[in-house]
Amino acid sequence: MIRYLFDAANAITALGLTLATTAIYFALIGRFEIGICFGLWALLADDADGMVAKSSPNRSALTAQLGGALDGLLDLVYAAVFPAVLILSFNAFSVSALLAANCLILSGALRLSYFSTFGLDADGFGRGLPLNNNLFVLALLFVADHHLPVQGLGNLLIGAGFVLSVLHLSNFKFPGTGNALRLANLTLVAAGSVALLTK
């Protein structure tokens, strides 16, 4: 099995999983801003592995199939499990935080399962809010908490968990892929990382 990690795209996905696990670690020890940065960088790895996979025409079908499954796990860990752990940790593992965390993980798993089965619409759009937007919402809330008179960040995080869970499973259209979307992600990750690390 290890040999599949020697594929460039799969190696980047594995790096993303390492970044996501590190994000969870920092959330658990209360270094939330640093954890969000690692989550954002895992998002970049998620974007990069797809680009590398598309530019590797000699990949075997099995390598590509395994890479797709691995990529889905990365999505779930950095974009659903990490935000859920952060919400739990920030709120001292309260019952309301547990409910929000469960909603995030269940909606994330259902969304990923749906798209692994049905894919994008014929026009290249997906349905509902992509999971990676969870990271941007977390970054915004933590930056606003330090630069704007935001009160009750813990409650805002719990509320965001519930709202995002609904948006993930909604039926509105959202761009599925493309260089413009990747550039937007890169810009938001860079801006978010700078804002979080220099506050």
Side-chain angles (χ1 to χ4, degrees), residues 4-139:
Y4 289 105
L5 292 182
F6 290 100
D7 171 77
N10 290 351
I12 293 171
T13 308
L15 172 63
L17 280 166
T18 302
L19 293 169
T21 302
T22 306
I24 291 171
Y25 165 78
F26 279 111
L28 287 171
I29 65 171
R31 302 296 300 275
F32 303 108
E33 290 87 353
I34 296 176
I36 295 169
C37 287
F38 273 95
L40 289 169
W41 302 335
L43 187 162
L44 287 185
D46 186 33
D47 274 353
D49 64 8
M51 291 188 293
V52 171
K54 289 179 181 178
S55 64
S56 304
N58 295 324
R59 295 177 88 207
S60 71
L62 283 176
T63 299
Q65 185 177 358
L66 184 141
L70 193 64
D71 183 72
L73 291 173
L74 171 59
D75 291 337
L76 186 65
V77 174
Y78 86 82
V81 175
F82 162 65
V85 170
L86 184 145
I87 291 170
L88 281 166
S89 182
F90 191 90
N91 288 283
F93 301 92
S94 68
V95 173
S96 56
L98 177 61
L99 292 173
N102 272 307
C103 286
L104 268 180
I105 292 175
L106 288 172
S107 66
L110 180 57
R111 179 184 173 82
L112 291 170
S113 299
Y114 176 89
F115 281 105
S116 68
T117 303
F118 299 103
L120 298 173
D121 291 349
D123 56 7
F125 280 74
R127 297 283 178 168
L129 187 71
L131 297 184
N132 62 7
N133 288 280
N134 293 346
L135 277 297
F136 300 138
V137 171
L138 290 179

Side-chain angles (χ1 to χ4, degrees), residues 87 96-101 103-104 157-167:
I87 291 170
S96 56
L98 177 61
L99 292 173
C103 286
L104 268 180
L157 289 169
I158 291 171
F162 288 122
V163 172
L164 288 167
S165 298
V166 172
L167 292 176

Side-chain angles (χ1 to χ4, degrees), residues 123-183:
D123 56 7
F125 280 74
R127 297 283 178 168
L129 187 71
L131 297 184
N132 62 7
N133 288 280
N134 293 346
L135 277 297
F136 300 138
V137 171
L138 290 179
L140 177 64
L141 289 175
F142 272 85
V143 170
D145 183 55
H146 291 283
H147 297 285
L148 297 174
V150 175
Q151 299 297 322
L153 179 57
N155 289 331
L156 285 175
L157 289 169
I158 291 171
F162 288 122
V163 172
L164 288 167
S165 298
V166 172
L167 292 176
H168 293 324
L169 302 180
S170 297
N171 203 37
F172 65 84
K173 289 191 173 185
F174 197 94
T177 58
N179 290 331
L181 188 60
R182 293 189 184 97
L183 180 59

